[in-house]
Structure formats: C-alpha cells, structure tokens
C-alpha cells in the first residue's frame, strides 16, 4: 500500500475529504484577499486591479465600476485562488506515486518545497492573469497612463496575498479541523 502524503498545512495523519479541503481553501483564500485589500489600499494605484477585474467581469469601463463590484470581484478572485492552490496540492498528492516521489523537503518544519512552489505558482497566475490578460484589455485610463506602476503595485499585492494565503491555510486548517 502506498503511504498517504499529508501536506504540512493539513494537521493530522490523514487529510480530510476533498470537499472539506476545498471549502477550507475557499475560506483561507477569502481571508487572504481581505488581508491583501489592506496592502492594496496602501499603494497609490494598488486597488486599480480590483476595479479593472470588475470591469472585465461586468464589461464596463473601470471608471464605471462601483466599489462594491470591485470588492466582490477581488474577494471572489481571492477565493478562487485559494481553491486553485488546494486543487494543485491535491493533484500533486495524487501524482506523487506515479512520479516515484517518496521524499519531501521540509522547510523550517513549517512547509515543504512542493507547497512553496505551489504558492509561488498561484501568485504567478494571479500576477500574469491580471497584468498580461485582463489589464491590457480592460485597463482603461490606468493602462494608458501608468501601466508600469499598476503592474509593479499589483506584483507587490499578489506576493502579499501569497504570504497571507500561506498563513490563512495554516490557521484555517488548525482552527476549523479541531
């Protein structure tokens, strides 16, 4: 029998069922997005991505998007990114035996290299999805006048989200899986 690999963000010896894991990841993604909102608002153009993403979703110019639509879109993307993270981790868990991977490198006793790479991948998807796909198409005046500034500030916000997702995954799993 193949041993069960349990990611370090999951307490215990056996991971919970997939639906529970995805629900917890959604909560963690929401918490990370709420935290990243603070970092975004501290930057001069940091909240522009929320408006631009809502503009893409609602097919309106960013200037015509309401604050509530921008907030809702930002939080929904955060929850989806949490789901993406956990889905990638679960996919890796299931592929490990086929790949012949029996060992994980643990980093500071807190996480593994594969989990860190997955966080980095999610941050990269968030950054690239916005800066290369959404922003050029729906960025409006911000894209025309200050694309470099918005992209740099979005990169900072995406990294903040990734760090907060790491913390939120640990906290949500430890609090809600007692």
């Amino acid at each position: 029998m193949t041993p069960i690999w349990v990611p370090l963000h999951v307490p215990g010896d056996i991971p919970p069922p997939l639906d529970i894991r995805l629900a917890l990841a959604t909560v963690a993604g929401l918490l990370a997005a709420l935290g990243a909102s603070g970092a975004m608002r501290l930057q001069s153009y940091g909240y522009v991505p929320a408006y631009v993403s809502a503009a893409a979703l609602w097919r309106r110019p960013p200037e015509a998007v309401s604050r509530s639509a921008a907030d809702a879109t930002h939080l929904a993307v955060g929850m989806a990114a949490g789901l993406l993270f956990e889905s990638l981790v679960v996919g890796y868990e299931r592929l490990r035996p086929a790949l012949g991977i029996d060992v994980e490198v643990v980093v500071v006793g807190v996480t593994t290299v594969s989990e860190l790479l997955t966080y980095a991948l999610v941050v990269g998807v968030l950054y690239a999805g916005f800066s290369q796909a959404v922003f050029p198409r729906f960025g409006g005046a911000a894209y025309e006048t200050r694309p470099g500034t918005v992209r740099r500030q979005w990169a900072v916000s995406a990294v903040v989200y990734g760090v907060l997702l790491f913390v939120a995954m640990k906290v949500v799993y430890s609090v809600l899986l007692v």
Side-chain angles (χ1 to χ4, degrees):
M1 181 174 160
T2 305
I4 296 174
W5 178 70
V6 180
L8 288 180
H9 69 270
V10 178
D13 295 331
I14 299 174
L18 180 60
D19 57 344
I20 300 295
R21 289 180 72 176
L22 295 177
L24 294 174
T26 302
V27 172
L30 174 63
L31 294 174
L34 286 168
S37 294
M40 291 170 73
R41 289 188 184 114
L42 290 174
Q43 301 174 80
S44 57
Y45 298 107
Y47 214 67
V48 167
Y51 281 94
V52 172
S53 297
L57 185 64
W58 300 108
R59 303 274 192 243
R60 295 184 177 160
E63 300 79 21
V65 170
S66 70
R67 174 62 184 256
S68 59
D71 288 342
T73 303
H74 169 64
L75 297 176
V77 169
M79 292 187 309
L83 279 170
L84 174 63
F85 169 79
E86 194 68 6
S87 297
L88 290 170
V89 169
V90 169
Y92 175 70
E93 285 172 25
R94 296 194 175 156
L95 281 176
R96 277 174 57 96
L99 297 172
I101 299 172
D102 295 327
V103 177
E104 274 291 331
V105 177
V106 177
V107 180
V108 195
V110 177
T111 192
T112 62
V113 170
S114 64
E115 287 176 288
L116 287 176
L117 291 173
T118 306
Y119 284 112
L121 180 62
V122 169
V123 167
V125 165
L126 285 173
Y127 176 76
F130 173 76
S131 69
Q132 302 303 314
V134 175
F135 192 41
R137 261 185 96 186
F138 300 98
Y143 183 73
E144 309 225 350
T145 61
R146 52 197 176 277
T149 302
V150 172
R151 280 189 172 115
R152 277 189 300 280
Q153 291 183 3
W154 175 240
V156 169
S157 298
V159 169
V160 167
Y161 173 84
V163 170
L164 292 175
L165 181 62
F166 172 81
V167 172
M169 290 296 284
K170 293 282 192 186
V171 169
V172 165
Y173 267 92
S174 64
V175 169
L176 296 179
L177 278 184
V178 176

